[in-house]
Amino acid sequence: MGIFSFLTGAKDDEREATTEARPATGPETGPPEGERPVPDFDVPFTPPEAWNVDALTAPPPAPSGEPPRIGAPDAAQTAAFQGPIIEVIKTVYDPEIPVDIYELGLIYDIIVDADRNVLVKMTLTSPACPSAQQIPSEVRYKVKAVPDVTDAWVEIVWEPPWDKDRMSEAAKMALGMY
């Protein structure tokens, strides 16, 4: 009896009877040449009732299209939070470039409202960036983790387009573009 026999839904005595009725295949006999070995169960997999598979079978949620709920920019809150937010953003890297996204010049603006909601306006190195989903998600996750930040959103902007001139001197030195 196999280690994963519970996946077949067969009871132990049924499995043993089925296994004994089949001719042995193995290194001595093996399946005929060119044929795949026959699995040792006849029942297709059906998850037990106790398993909740709703998340796997439900259609994806419709995009909310909800714009960020951020109020008017608050200069005092922005000044207070800008340092810690920049520090966490400096821990986000483009997987293809060994320089953080802040030094690459991908962050255009950081806005904080009176309720400590944060909006980060950023761009990507190109519209076809393979990390277009991962980088903004990581930025939002890390900014939301800053102490006393209520919520955070990331808005991808394409104007002005990013170019190498937006990089810091440290980034240019690290990439040998000085």
Side-chain angles (χ1 to χ4, degrees):
M1 179 164 23
I3 175 171
F4 297 108
S5 61
F6 66 92
L7 295 175
T8 64
K11 295 189 177 15
D12 289 342
D13 53 345
E14 292 172 0
R15 297 266 308 142
E16 289 173 11
T18 306
T19 305
E20 292 169 8
R22 272 207 186 95
T25 58
E28 307 83 34
T29 59
E33 193 170 324
E35 287 188 28
R36 291 184 180 180
V38 177
D40 66 343
F41 57 91
D42 296 322
V43 183
F45 175 72
T46 305
E49 289 180 26
W51 289 10
N52 182 355
V53 294
D54 294 341
L56 300 173
T57 58
S64 66
E66 182 179 320
R69 290 172 278 154
I70 187 162
D74 183 306
Q77 294 285 19
T78 300
F81 281 95
Q82 195 157 13
I85 290 171
I86 289 172
E87 289 305 310
V88 298
I89 289 174
K90 284 185 173 187
T91 66
V92 179
Y93 286 80
D94 184 315
E96 298 176 343
I97 305 170
V99 176
D100 69 79
I101 64 170
Y102 188 81
E103 297 295 333
L104 281 174
L106 298 180
I107 304 300
Y108 285 1
D109 202 4
I110 298 170
I111 301 167
V112 184
D113 70 7
D115 295 327
R116 298 182 314 276
N117 293 309
V118 178
L119 175 64
V120 177
K121 292 186 178 185
M122 66 173 288
T123 193
L124 300 168
T125 54
S126 82
C129 177
S131 299
Q133 299 292 320
Q134 177 251 333
I135 293 174
S137 294
E138 186 176 351
V139 169
R140 181 173 188 232
Y141 173 77
K142 288 185 174 183
V143 170
K144 279 180 73 167
V146 170
D148 297 323
V149 166
T150 305
D151 208 345
W153 291 272
V154 175
E155 182 181 337
I156 302 295
V157 296
W158 300 108
E159 292 296 323
W162 180 86
D163 64 9
K164 294 175 183 158
D165 294 336
R166 296 192 59 87
M167 292 171 39
S168 70
E169 292 300 316
K172 289 177 184 174
M173 292 285 283
L175 297 173
M177 305 175 91
Y178 45 88

